[in-house]
Structures are given as structure tokens and as C-alpha cells.
Amino acid sequence: MEKNQIEHLKEALEFSPDNIPLRLHLAETLMSDKQYAAAEAEYKIVIEQAPGNNQAKFGLAKAHYHQDNYSTGIVIIESLLKEDPANPAWLLLHSKLLLKEDDIGRALEQYQKVLELDPGMTDETLDGYFRTAHQAGEVADEMMEEEDTDAFLEDPGVGFTDVGGMNREKSEIELKIIQPLKHPELYEAYGKKIGGGILFYGPPGCGKTHLARATAGEVDARFISVGINDILDMWIGNSEKNLHEIFELARKHAPCVLFFDEVDALGASRSDMRQSAGRHLINQFLSELDGINNKNDGVLILGATNAPWH
């Protein structure tokens, strides 16, 4: 970029300091010349003059990204997304910022939204990272298939005697889960299915996972702990496939306790999901829970969340 152009723009602004389009042009020119700190200063002046100028806010977020001020950039871009959550350019920058902050799950989710809105709007950095991760996952899947899929299953090794307190919760689980499995003939006689699910709610560290594992131990069931990273995949349809395979593994090894940690990230309210990928995953989750196409007899689904209102 020729320095003369930048100098000419600066001289023009001396005669017209309130000319917002001219200052934005200078800021974009500075960005192209990789003078990110100088561009940041110009964007801030525009925002002072016109607080609602989203072009300047987006430019400021980009300037912070290039200066490794990722957390500040995230704050700015998230304020923009509140106004327009379906803006592909904003979503793309948000994904790149989140990836830099190692928030991989959210970065992947935002990049998926970008590709849904505009399939041609790919990013070399994001695409390369997630494609590599996807390929690594495929290799891992092949290795696990060659070894033994039973490696996903745990023998809990603990029971209710290993869980202190929580007597009310234990009683609920005893009534809704343990007794039906111990006396299936009684429930079948009354036309009741053996299986079902319970949602655990509480702050981090209160023992939700430990109680879920102990529940499996009480009924001599296998235990599968599922995290959101075990499900989500950037490629359309793969998240649903991953979810189905986990349920199929549980059905194959019934009685089995299937435990979903942070289930609100997977099974949020459909009314809150604007993107089709999220809705498809929730629909798949509900279909698996209902056992419409497959029997869930002997499969117990436990979920844990810090935010049951979601």
C-alpha cells in the first residue's frame, strides 16, 4: 500500500475532521497496510462521533483480532450479534476470535452457522483447523472400531453407599429407575416401559456426575458419559450421526446408563434455536429419547445442567 494515499487521507481529514466516510476509508486503508493500532484509533474516533456505526465497530473488532486482543474483540462482536445474529461476516470473525481463545465448541458452532447462511463463505484458517480435527477424529474412530467399541463403556464400581447425603435424590432415582430395572415383570404387567430419564440440576462440583455413576452401579448397568464435544461436528449431519451411534451403543449393552453432561448445550429449547443445524440436532435427540424407531428398554438417560431453564 502506498504511504502517499494514507497521507493524503490524513490531510483531507484535517480539513474535514467530521467526515465519517472519509475517516472510515482511512481506517480501512490502514488495516490493509497492517497498521492495526492506527486503524483502531480511527475506528474509535468514528464511534465517538457516531456511536451506532456498526461498520466502525466491526472494523474495531478486526483491529483487536489482528493485535491479539481477542477477549476485547469478542465483547465488541457479541454486542453486534445481538443486533443481527445472522450476519455471516460478524459470525465468521466471532468464530475466529473464539478459536483463538480456545473456545472450540462455540467457534465450531458459529462457523457452522456461517456455512449455513453462505456455503461459499469459507475461511482458510477455520476450515483448515476443523478439517484437520475432523480427519483426526475419523482416524481415531477407525482405530477404536478396530480395537473394541466396548472401550466407550465403563463399569461404574460405585453405588449409593459411596455418595454422601442426597437422600431425596436417591429416593427419586430408586423409584423411577432402580426398582423398574430390578422388578421388570411388575412394570411390564402394567404396560410400563423399563427405562426413562432424570435431569440433574445444580452448580458445578455438587456431585451430579458422581451420582449418575453410582446410579449405574446400583443396577449393575454399564455407564457411558457423554460430553458435548463427543457429539458436535462441523459437517452437516455428522452431529446427528454421532448422537445416534452413542444411543445405539447404549441399546446394544442394556442395561446401560447414558449420562449427558451439560445437556442444555445439546438439548436447548427449539424456540431458542434460529439455525437449522441446532434444530436438527435437538430433533434427533428427542427422537432418540422417545425411542420411536428403536426400543430404549433398559437404557436410562441421565442429564446434568447448570441452567435447567434452557
Side-chain angles (χ1 to χ4, degrees), residues 43-236:
Y43 284 127
K44 286 181 176 178
I45 294 173
V46 173
I47 293 170
E48 288 176 5
Q49 295 174 337
N53 193 302
N54 289 340
Q55 182 182 348
K57 292 178 182 178
F58 180 54
L60 183 59
K62 287 193 294 183
H64 282 296
Y65 171 78
H66 287 291
Q67 294 177 89
D68 300 337
N69 298 326
Y70 305 125
S71 58
T72 304
I74 287 173
V75 171
I76 297 169
I77 206 70
E78 287 183 350
S79 69
L80 286 172
L81 287 169
K82 287 180 181 179
E83 297 182 26
D84 183 4
N87 186 304
W90 298 352
L91 286 166
L92 187 63
L93 180 58
H94 192 211
S95 179
K96 293 171 72 173
L97 286 161
L98 290 169
L99 186 61
K100 289 293 187 180
E101 287 285 271
D102 292 326
D103 195 344
I104 298 170
R106 290 178 66 206
L108 173 58
E109 181 183 355
Q110 296 298 71
Y111 190 45
Q112 286 177 321
K113 291 177 183 177
V114 172
L115 296 179
E116 283 181 28
L117 293 165
D118 186 353
M121 196 172 180
T122 57
D123 178 85
E124 184 177 346
T125 301
L126 293 172
D127 203 39
Y129 177 87
F130 290 124
R131 190 180 298 276
T132 300
H134 175 69
Q135 290 171 346
E138 286 183 336
V139 172
D141 288 344
E142 290 173 4
M143 291 175 63
M144 284 185 282
E145 285 175 6
E146 290 174 1
E147 292 172 3
D148 189 0
T149 55
D150 290 0
F152 288 104
L153 300 162
E154 296 181 37
D155 288 315
V158 295
F160 280 175
T161 56
D162 301 293
V163 180
M166 298 192 188
N167 293 325
R168 183 174 64 85
E169 289 77 9
K170 291 176 185 176
S171 297
E172 289 282 330
I173 295 169
E174 179 82 22
L175 177 64
K176 296 178 179 178
I177 288 182
I178 295 175
Q179 290 304 321
L181 274 177
K182 287 185 174 179
H183 305 286
E185 69 284 351
L186 293 177
Y187 284 77
E188 288 175 0
Y190 287 93
K192 299 291 185 180
K193 290 184 178 181
I194 304 165
I198 288 179
L199 179 66
F200 294 158
Y201 161 53
C206 72
K208 299 186 292 296
T209 303
H210 188 48
L211 184 58
R213 188 172 276 108
T215 299
E218 284 292 309
V219 292
D220 295 323
R222 308 298 289 275
F223 183 76
I224 301 176
S225 180
V226 185
I228 192 65
N229 290 334
D230 298 320
I231 303 294
L232 289 183
D233 193 295
M234 72 171 290
W235 308 105
I236 294 174

Side-chain angles (χ1 to χ4, degrees), residues 264-281:
D264 50 284
L266 176 66
S269 170
R270 279 179 289 187
S271 62
D272 294 335
M273 301 299 295
R274 293 186 174 90
Q275 301 300 320
S276 60
R279 290 198 300 273
H280 292 329
L281 184 57

Side-chain angles (χ1 to χ4, degrees), residues 279-294:
R279 290 198 300 273
H280 292 329
L281 184 57
I282 291 172
N283 288 338
Q284 180 70 35
F285 191 36
L286 292 174
S287 175
E288 299 291 347
L289 289 173
D290 291 339
I292 295 173
N293 299 317
N294 302 278

